[in-house]
Amino acid sequence: MILLLAPLIAVAVVTAAALVLRAQRGSQQELVGSVVEPPGDAGGLPSILYFTGVACTICHTAQKPALRALAATDDRIAIREVDIADDPELAGRYRVMSLPTTIVLDGAGQVAGINVGFASGDVLRRQLVAAGMPNATQPVG
Amino acid sequence: MAIVPFDRSVLKVNQAILMVVIVLGYLVGFAYHAAAYVIPALAVMMLAAVASPALNLPRILYVRILRPSGVVRPRVVQEDPAPHRFAQLLGGIFLTVATIFVATGLLLVAWVLAWTVVALAFLNFAFNICIGCILYAQLVRMGVLPLSRAPAR
């Protein structure tokens, strides 16, 4: 009859772990509106911070081509690529939990949007416009 | 470079098999302790699936029967499959450790580990919360994991 405890113990452990991890993931969205690091040299315009990694297949096969296509439509769009293995501290400050992660920063370096997983060029363009990028309405797919 | 399609339905089938077989094995185990040997069987299934797509029993079941018959619909997404493979590996390791406890007669520990796999599978199946994937991201970020560029399968 002691075996009846097995599912209870397991569910309690997993629930606790899930709640902790979910709380951590949720906290990334709290960064929206805050400045994590001083703004770079994007000329006061919104920019994209792109977190990638060697093992992230979708980063190389989809996210990077989408970012390249987006940048090709407007040379004012600044994209900073960060390999999390090269700069784990920065990834930690932006609370990156999954790859790819793209973060749209406004001209003042404030976090305007966070995308966990693949983000299309159109999604990123809309976020750039919302962050203050002028005349950036051309769709890129 | 081509976009890598990744069909999440294979994962769902895998999770469903895990949940159903472990829960049934647990219930039957009250009458017949030998039912605990579903745990090593599932451990082999999980580890084989990680080793090669040709040995991935849930994938074979999905591709050859469930998808053609329309029972399970494809859910193709643009996603890195590596975290999910890591999560599968974790499940396989949990069940392998549980197998050791089955062999040594510590069935409570074995079933706690097996039920942990059930709970993790349920979170992923029902809510798309992949604890193993989150752990994978943390380990890659810390530079702990060996990295690969294996394609989706």
Side-chain angles (χ1 to χ4, degrees), chain B residues 8-21:
Chain B
R8 279 193 161 213
S9 292
V10 176
L11 296 175
K12 300 288 181 192
V13 170
N14 183 55
Q15 290 147 12
I17 290 173
L18 283 174
M19 289 188 289
V20 169
V21 174

PDB file of all heavy atoms in Angstrom, chain B residues 8-21:
ATOM      1  N   ARG B   8       5.699  18.159 -33.901  1.00  0.00           N
ATOM      2  CA  ARG B   8       5.502  17.966 -32.460  1.00  0.00           C
ATOM      3  C   ARG B   8       4.610  16.775 -32.144  1.00  0.00           C
ATOM      4  O   ARG B   8       4.589  16.307 -31.011  1.00  0.00           O
ATOM      5  CB  ARG B   8       4.876  19.225 -31.847  1.00  0.00           C
ATOM      6  CG  ARG B   8       5.893  20.304 -31.572  1.00  0.00           C
ATOM      7  CD  ARG B   8       5.299  21.369 -30.702  1.00  0.00           C
ATOM      8  NE  ARG B   8       6.357  22.150 -30.070  1.00  0.00           N
ATOM      9  CZ  ARG B   8       6.256  22.677 -28.875  1.00  0.00           C
ATOM     10  NH1 ARG B   8       5.176  22.500 -28.176  1.00  0.00           N
ATOM     11  NH2 ARG B   8       7.238  23.381 -28.374  1.00  0.00           N
ATOM     12  N   SER B   9       3.861  16.300 -33.135  1.00  0.00           N
ATOM     13  CA  SER B   9       2.962  15.172 -32.877  1.00  0.00           C
ATOM     14  C   SER B   9       3.735  13.923 -32.483  1.00  0.00           C
ATOM     15  O   SER B   9       3.220  13.080 -31.741  1.00  0.00           O
ATOM     16  CB  SER B   9       2.097  14.897 -34.110  1.00  0.00           C
ATOM     17  OG  SER B   9       1.200  15.962 -34.299  1.00  0.00           O
ATOM     18  N   VAL B  10       4.968  13.783 -32.989  1.00  0.00           N
ATOM     19  CA  VAL B  10       5.788  12.631 -32.594  1.00  0.00           C
ATOM     20  C   VAL B  10       6.012  12.664 -31.080  1.00  0.00           C
ATOM     21  O   VAL B  10       5.919  11.636 -30.400  1.00  0.00           O
ATOM     22  CB  VAL B  10       7.142  12.646 -33.343  1.00  0.00           C
ATOM     23  CG1 VAL B  10       8.018  11.498 -32.859  1.00  0.00           C
ATOM     24  CG2 VAL B  10       6.931  12.549 -34.839  1.00  0.00           C
ATOM     25  N   LEU B  11       6.272  13.851 -30.575  1.00  0.00           N
ATOM     26  CA  LEU B  11       6.482  13.998 -29.128  1.00  0.00           C
ATOM     27  C   LEU B  11       5.208  13.665 -28.358  1.00  0.00           C
ATOM     28  O   LEU B  11       5.243  13.023 -27.312  1.00  0.00           O
ATOM     29  CB  LEU B  11       6.916  15.426 -28.789  1.00  0.00           C
ATOM     30  CG  LEU B  11       8.260  15.894 -29.346  1.00  0.00           C
ATOM     31  CD1 LEU B  11       8.467  17.367 -29.023  1.00  0.00           C
ATOM     32  CD2 LEU B  11       9.390  15.062 -28.784  1.00  0.00           C
ATOM     33  N   LYS B  12       4.085  14.142 -28.899  1.00  0.00           N
ATOM     34  CA  LYS B  12       2.803  13.905 -28.208  1.00  0.00           C
ATOM     35  C   LYS B  12       2.502  12.405 -28.122  1.00  0.00           C
ATOM     36  O   LYS B  12       2.006  11.923 -27.093  1.00  0.00           O
ATOM     37  CB  LYS B  12       1.658  14.618 -28.938  1.00  0.00           C
ATOM     38  CG  LYS B  12       1.820  16.130 -29.032  1.00  0.00           C
ATOM     39  CD  LYS B  12       1.613  16.817 -27.710  1.00  0.00           C
ATOM     40  CE  LYS B  12       1.747  18.325 -27.842  1.00  0.00           C
ATOM     41  NZ  LYS B  12       1.835  18.987 -26.535  1.00  0.00           N
ATOM     42  N   VAL B  13       2.786  11.696 -29.224  1.00  0.00           N
ATOM     43  CA  VAL B  13       2.559  10.247 -29.226  1.00  0.00           C
ATOM     44  C   VAL B  13       3.464   9.585 -28.185  1.00  0.00           C
ATOM     45  O   VAL B  13       3.027   8.726 -27.409  1.00  0.00           O
ATOM     46  CB  VAL B  13       2.820   9.653 -30.629  1.00  0.00           C
ATOM     47  CG1 VAL B  13       2.818   8.134 -30.597  1.00  0.00           C
ATOM     48  CG2 VAL B  13       1.781  10.160 -31.624  1.00  0.00           C
ATOM     49  N   ASN B  14       4.711  10.017 -28.157  1.00  0.00           N
ATOM     50  CA  ASN B  14       5.672   9.482 -27.182  1.00  0.00           C
ATOM     51  C   ASN B  14       5.171   9.718 -25.749  1.00  0.00           C
ATOM     52  O   ASN B  14       5.189   8.817 -24.899  1.00  0.00           O
ATOM     53  CB  ASN B  14       7.029  10.161 -27.397  1.00  0.00           C
ATOM     54  CG  ASN B  14       8.098   9.600 -26.481  1.00  0.00           C
ATOM     55  OD1 ASN B  14       8.324   8.400 -26.471  1.00  0.00           O
ATOM     56  ND2 ASN B  14       8.733  10.457 -25.711  1.00  0.00           N
ATOM     57  N   GLN B  15       4.710  10.937 -25.497  1.00  0.00           N
ATOM     58  CA  GLN B  15       4.227  11.268 -24.141  1.00  0.00           C
ATOM     59  C   GLN B  15       2.988  10.451 -23.789  1.00  0.00           C
ATOM     60  O   GLN B  15       2.837   9.986 -22.647  1.00  0.00           O
ATOM     61  CB  GLN B  15       3.930  12.773 -24.058  1.00  0.00           C
ATOM     62  CG  GLN B  15       5.187  13.632 -24.098  1.00  0.00           C
ATOM     63  CD  GLN B  15       4.980  14.965 -24.795  1.00  0.00           C
ATOM     64  OE1 GLN B  15       3.849  15.368 -25.066  1.00  0.00           O
ATOM     65  NE2 GLN B  15       6.067  15.658 -25.086  1.00  0.00           N
ATOM     66  N   ALA B  16       2.098  10.279 -24.759  1.00  0.00           N
ATOM     67  CA  ALA B  16       0.874   9.505 -24.502  1.00  0.00           C
ATOM     68  C   ALA B  16       1.220   8.062 -24.163  1.00  0.00           C
ATOM     69  O   ALA B  16       0.644   7.477 -23.226  1.00  0.00           O
ATOM     70  CB  ALA B  16      -0.044   9.574 -25.726  1.00  0.00           C
ATOM     71  N   ILE B  17       2.157   7.485 -24.916  1.00  0.00           N
ATOM     72  CA  ILE B  17       2.569   6.096 -24.647  1.00  0.00           C
ATOM     73  C   ILE B  17       3.142   5.985 -23.231  1.00  0.00           C
ATOM     74  O   ILE B  17       2.796   5.074 -22.474  1.00  0.00           O
ATOM     75  CB  ILE B  17       3.608   5.625 -25.691  1.00  0.00           C
ATOM     76  CG1 ILE B  17       2.943   5.456 -27.059  1.00  0.00           C
ATOM     77  CG2 ILE B  17       4.270   4.318 -25.259  1.00  0.00           C
ATOM     78  CD1 ILE B  17       3.913   5.170 -28.190  1.00  0.00           C
ATOM     79  N   LEU B  18       4.007   6.930 -22.887  1.00  0.00           N
ATOM     80  CA  LEU B  18       4.615   6.915 -21.549  1.00  0.00           C
ATOM     81  C   LEU B  18       3.544   6.948 -20.457  1.00  0.00           C
ATOM     82  O   LEU B  18       3.560   6.145 -19.517  1.00  0.00           O
ATOM     83  CB  LEU B  18       5.548   8.117 -21.381  1.00  0.00           C
ATOM     84  CG  LEU B  18       6.916   8.045 -22.042  1.00  0.00           C
ATOM     85  CD1 LEU B  18       7.632   9.382 -21.900  1.00  0.00           C
ATOM     86  CD2 LEU B  18       7.745   6.933 -21.432  1.00  0.00           C
ATOM     87  N   MET B  19       2.614   7.897 -20.590  1.00  0.00           N
ATOM     88  CA  MET B  19       1.601   8.075 -19.544  1.00  0.00           C
ATOM     89  C   MET B  19       0.714   6.837 -19.424  1.00  0.00           C
ATOM     90  O   MET B  19       0.501   6.330 -18.317  1.00  0.00           O
ATOM     91  CB  MET B  19       0.743   9.315 -19.859  1.00  0.00           C
ATOM     92  CG  MET B  19       1.510  10.621 -19.679  1.00  0.00           C
ATOM     93  SD  MET B  19       0.465  12.076 -19.813  1.00  0.00           S
ATOM     94  CE  MET B  19       0.074  12.091 -21.545  1.00  0.00           C
ATOM     95  N   VAL B  20       0.225   6.354 -20.553  1.00  0.00           N
ATOM     96  CA  VAL B  20      -0.718   5.224 -20.515  1.00  0.00           C
ATOM     97  C   VAL B  20      -0.033   3.968 -19.986  1.00  0.00           C
ATOM     98  O   VAL B  20      -0.559   3.290 -19.085  1.00  0.00           O
ATOM     99  CB  VAL B  20      -1.303   4.978 -21.932  1.00  0.00           C
ATOM    100  CG1 VAL B  20      -2.067   3.673 -21.978  1.00  0.00           C
ATOM    101  CG2 VAL B  20      -2.202   6.134 -22.339  1.00  0.00           C
ATOM    102  N   VAL B  21       1.148   3.665 -20.501  1.00  0.00           N
ATOM    103  CA  VAL B  21       1.813   2.404 -20.125  1.00  0.00           C
ATOM    104  C   VAL B  21       2.239   2.442 -18.654  1.00  0.00           C
ATOM    105  O   VAL B  21       2.055   1.460 -17.925  1.00  0.00           O
ATOM    106  CB  VAL B  21       3.014   2.127 -21.056  1.00  0.00           C
ATOM    107  CG1 VAL B  21       3.784   0.898 -20.577  1.00  0.00           C
ATOM    108  CG2 VAL B  21       2.535   1.921 -22.486  1.00  0.00           C
TER     109      VAL B  21
END
